[in-house]
Amino acid sequence: MVGPPLKNFAEDKRFFLGSGSFGTCVYAGILEDGSEVAVKRMVIQVCEGAAENEKKILSLIETKKSPFIVSYRNFVKDNRFMYLIVDICEETLDEHVHSQNIDYLRIHGRRMIREMLTGLKFLHDQGILHRDLKPSNILVDVEGHMRLADFGISRVLKEDETTVYTDEKGTEGWMAVEVIQTIEQIGKGRFKKKFDIQSAGMIAFFILTRGGHPFGCTKYERMANIVAGNPVNLVNLDDLDARQFVSWLISHTIRDRPYADEALLDPFMDNIDYEEESRPTSILFLEEYHN
């Protein structure tokens, strides 16, 4: 049982929200003030470095806050596990996109992309590089808005720096070309803000096509085509403005990609209707947990 500030928390399948790599599990919980939260449980022996890094990043973000970044509540640990406590969200972007029809995504897709890029701009303005952008690392809150999450391998640029030299990590099929090209090298590789942008472009395509990927179907095909600069599925975007926008974000040459603030100024991001039907909040807990 995790101590304060949690009032109620149980590692029970009734409150299980999802799982991640290296034995990470996410459960629902309730704080002393009655608010519902997500409790991300990580095995200390396996995840201590990533967990401490995520705590550091979220603590840094918390000083300024953004509506498009998951909100950090607390961080505690016992002898076996570390628990990261954040605001609860409805689902991942991966789940959200596959639960909608294409008409919904045509209406709301640009707004979803704009929110993702706004969250990314916020991170980059703080000198934070996400380094693992993918649909399962973006959460959708109860109002349907995007929130960037999972900062276990994120890094912070020092003042006046444009590049972080670090171990090359990420998720196969969602890495920028420059990351893939340096995976086999000895020592640390470089990471820049525009590496995140290419991943964001892949996610934009994912949203607009209801789960597609511009560089192919399997992760191996995607990795090869990313390195080759061959977006084989880009033609599947019928909207020419959308195709041009995504093509810009996933440009093979880094100098041809925009920064997040530049992408947000593109005409494709203009005139977005933010009026949405309200979405009911899910009932996540049994009655006794509210008493």
Side-chain angles (χ1 to χ4, degrees):
M1 180 75 177
V2 178
L6 282 171
K7 179 180 180 180
N8 287 307
F9 168 70
E11 296 173 15
D12 188 297
K13 64 181 181 181
R14 294 171 298 171
F15 312 115
F16 179 75
L17 299 179
S19 61
S21 56
F22 305 112
T24 297
C25 293
V26 183
Y27 296 91
I30 300 177
L31 296 183
E32 291 288 348
D33 63 6
S35 58
E36 300 172 350
V37 292
V39 182
K40 183 177 179 180
R41 189 197 72 182
M42 297 163 279
V43 181
I44 290 179
Q45 188 175 1
V46 179
C47 302
E48 186 169 14
E52 290 287 356
N53 186 69
E54 187 159 13
K55 174 189 174 185
K56 170 188 169 184
I57 297 293
L58 285 170
S59 297
L60 180 61
I61 292 170
E62 193 68 10
T63 62
K64 294 192 176 181
K65 286 187 176 288
S66 164
F68 305 118
I69 305 291
V70 68
S71 294
Y72 169 58
R73 293 299 193 95
N74 207 343
F75 182 86
V76 293
K77 62 182 177 180
D78 56 27
N79 292 331
R80 295 179 59 205
F81 299 109
M82 309 175 84
Y83 302 86
L84 184 69
I85 304 168
V86 298
D87 281 349
I88 202 163
C89 289
E90 287 280 277
E91 55 194 347
T92 67
L93 177 62
D94 192 357
E95 295 165 334
H96 184 68
V97 164
H98 285 108
S99 70
Q100 306 298 334
N101 59 46
I102 193 65
D103 290 334
Y104 174 93
L105 296 171
R106 283 172 178 161
I107 294 170
H108 298 284
R110 287 192 301 158
R111 186 264 306 165
M112 294 161 66
I113 295 166
R114 184 175 184 85
E115 291 177 355
M116 171 187 65
L117 288 171
T118 301
L120 189 57
K121 176 183 180 300
F122 174 86
L123 290 180
H124 288 176
D125 285 348
Q126 315 309 310
I128 299 168
L129 308 177
H130 190 286
R131 300 182 68 232
D132 197 18
L133 282 176
K134 57 185 177 182
S136 59
N137 281 348
I138 299 175
L139 304 181
V140 183
D141 68 20
V142 294
E143 295 179 345
H145 297 299
M146 307 298 106
R147 293 192 178 218
L148 305 191
D150 205 329
F151 303 95
I153 64 171
S154 298
R155 293 292 182 269
V156 182
L157 291 165
K158 294 180 181 178
E159 190 173 355
D160 298 326
E161 279 187 342
T162 61
T163 304
V164 163
Y165 289 89
T166 183
D167 295 330
E168 295 302 332
K169 293 182 180 179
T171 299
E172 291 182 336
W174 298 99
M175 299 175 181
V177 55
E178 297 85 1
V179 180
I180 300 172
Q181 289 173 333
T182 55
I183 285 176
E184 301 299 327
Q185 74 179 36
I186 299 174
K188 296 184 181 297
R190 63 193 181 110
F191 201 100
K192 293 176 174 287
K193 293 177 181 178
K194 287 188 177 182
F195 293 11
D196 278 339
I197 295 296
Q198 191 174 38
S199 300
M202 299 176 204
I203 296 169
F205 185 91
F206 178 89
I207 292 170
L208 294 170
T209 59
R210 194 176 176 268
H213 194 292
F215 291 101
C217 298
T218 69
K219 65 181 179 181
Y220 304 107
E221 181 185 6
R222 292 170 185 176
M223 295 283 275
N225 283 327
I226 291 169
V227 171
N230 184 27
V232 291
N233 289 335
L234 197 58
V235 294
N236 293 342
L237 272 179
D238 296 331
D239 184 327
L240 294 181
D241 291 334
R243 190 188 302 176
Q244 183 177 15
F245 181 73
V246 170
S247 180
W248 188 30
L249 268 59
I250 64 172
S251 294
H252 187 67
T253 304
I254 188 171
R255 66 174 176 270
D256 293 334
R257 288 174 223 151
Y259 288 102
D261 56 348
E262 294 171 333
L264 287 165
L265 293 175
D266 189 82
F268 184 69
M269 291 285 92
D270 288 343
N271 303 317
I272 296 174
D273 184 4
Y274 282 88
E275 292 297 324
E276 291 190 85
E277 295 181 2
S278 60
R279 303 173 66 216
T281 303
S282 297
I283 299 173
L284 296 172
F285 309 105
L286 296 180
E287 185 73 24
E288 73 250 25
Y289 275 80
H290 287 286
N291 294 334

